[in-house]
Structures are given as structure tokens and as C-alpha cells.
Amino acid sequence: MALYQAGRYAEAEAEARSVAAARSRPRDDTYAPLALGIAALAAGAQGRHADAVTTYDALLPVFGRIFGAEHPQTLKLRSDRAQALSSLARYAECEAECAAVARVAARGTGPDMPLIATAARNRRIYALTALGRHPEAEALAREALAAHRVLDRFTLVVRLGLARSLNGQGRHEEALAEAEGVGELGRRLP
């Protein structure tokens, strides 16, 4: 993960696949599937989104068996898969998956669930906008902003989604004002 976070995606993918191969024997070992999840992220970061989706599709039943369908790790994997679907312009699938993940995460408990729900909502807003469903994207963005009251990078990207949805509706002055607010927020964030 450190290699991935450092932007060294090819190395991160190779290392993650190496870890997974070395630990692939025990049926309930969590390290191998988690490592493959990192490999899928790294493949997507290198522009190989179809490869990432293939890896995610193979991992989903494994994560479900090991962690459970509503576990944060499983929901994060589904959310990451939705991101890859979006990168392949498979927006309807992305939107449906993000809606499902956000629903489960919103009713879940634990410190990771609000973050997972917010990420899924953000990806859904993007997909709705790409599908030309701008009023729905606007409504969801406003709902997400009301639910996530922390000024952080998620607030920034959700507000960008709101600006896109307003622009898509021809509400250009509102979109511009929102974009300017996003610029201000971006300058204040670390």
C-alpha cells in the first residue's frame, strides 16, 4: 500500500501479486485477497481498468466469504470496483453499485462506514452526471453534503459533482459559484 500511495503503481501491483501468491494456500487467509485488492487498485491507476474489474469480480465472492457481505473491506472493494466501472464508461453499472454500497454503509456501524458511504455517494453523483441525470445528481450531492459536514477532500469532490450537475442543467451561474467555493476550499485543505 505504501508503494501505491507513493504513486509507484507498477511496483505496488507486482509486490501485491507477489504477496498474494506467497500466501495463497490457506482458504481463509485475509492477506492474499487484500493484496489482490491492492493489485487491482494499482492496475486501475495504470489505466488498466478492465484488468482491475476482472480482479475485483474474482475477489468479491472471496471477500464475501471471508469478511461478510456488509464488512467495510467488502464494501470498499465494491466501491473500488465501481470506480473502475466508471473509468470504463459503464456508468449505469457504477451508479447501481454505488447506490447499493452507500445504502449498506449508511446503516452500518464502525468508523469506516461514513467514509465508505461518502465515497460511494460521490462516485454515484459522478455516474449520474455522466448519464445526463443532472437533477438526481444535484439532489444526491446536496444530500451527501448535508450528511458529511466535515470540510475535507470528500466535501471538495462532492461539491465538484454538485457544480457539474448544476452546469448540466444549464444553471451556469450557480455552477460557477459552487466551483469558486470548491477552489477556495481546495486552497484551505492540506
Side-chain angles (χ1 to χ4, degrees):
M1 186 51 94
L3 291 169
Y4 176 83
Q5 291 172 336
R8 296 166 53 188
Y9 303 125
E11 291 175 77
E13 181 181 8
E15 183 68 22
R17 290 192 186 283
S18 175
V19 168
R23 300 202 50 123
S24 64
R25 295 286 185 243
R27 179 172 158 77
D28 291 329
D29 177 38
T30 60
Y31 289 101
L34 289 171
L36 287 174
I38 294 168
L41 275 174
Q46 295 172 76
R48 296 188 357 259
H49 307 292
D51 291 345
V53 169
T54 299
T55 302
Y56 290 133
D57 287 345
L59 285 173
L60 277 172
V62 176
F63 271 59
R65 179 178 48 78
I66 292 174
F67 299 110
E70 296 188 2
H71 189 277
Q73 289 289 352
T74 305
L75 294 175
K76 183 187 178 310
L77 186 82
R78 289 176 64 189
S79 184
D80 291 343
R81 177 182 177 272
Q83 177 70 36
L85 291 171
S86 178
S87 296
L88 293 170
R90 293 167 58 180
Y91 302 118
E93 292 172 78
C94 174
E95 188 271 330
E97 184 69 350
C98 289
V101 168
R103 241 185 339 270
V104 173
R107 71 173 186 259
T109 59
D112 296 328
M113 291 301 203
L115 197 58
I116 292 168
T118 301
R121 284 186 190 110
N122 176 58
R123 289 177 177 140
R124 185 173 178 217
I125 292 162
Y126 183 86
L128 287 167
T129 301
L131 291 166
R133 293 164 53 191
H134 304 292
E136 287 176 74
E138 177 190 2
L140 185 59
R142 292 189 187 285
E143 176 186 309
L145 289 169
H148 186 80
R149 297 190 177 273
V150 180
L151 293 179
D152 60 8
R153 66 187 182 106
F154 282 108
T155 303
L156 187 132
V157 295
V158 171
R159 287 183 66 189
L160 282 172
L162 176 59
R164 273 190 230 100
S165 72
L166 294 168
N167 190 56
Q169 296 175 70
R171 294 163 55 193
H172 304 297
E173 292 298 323
E174 290 174 78
L176 182 59
E178 192 61 41
E180 288 170 348
V182 168
E184 172 68 25
L185 175 60
R187 285 186 288 280
R188 290 193 324 231
L189 290 176

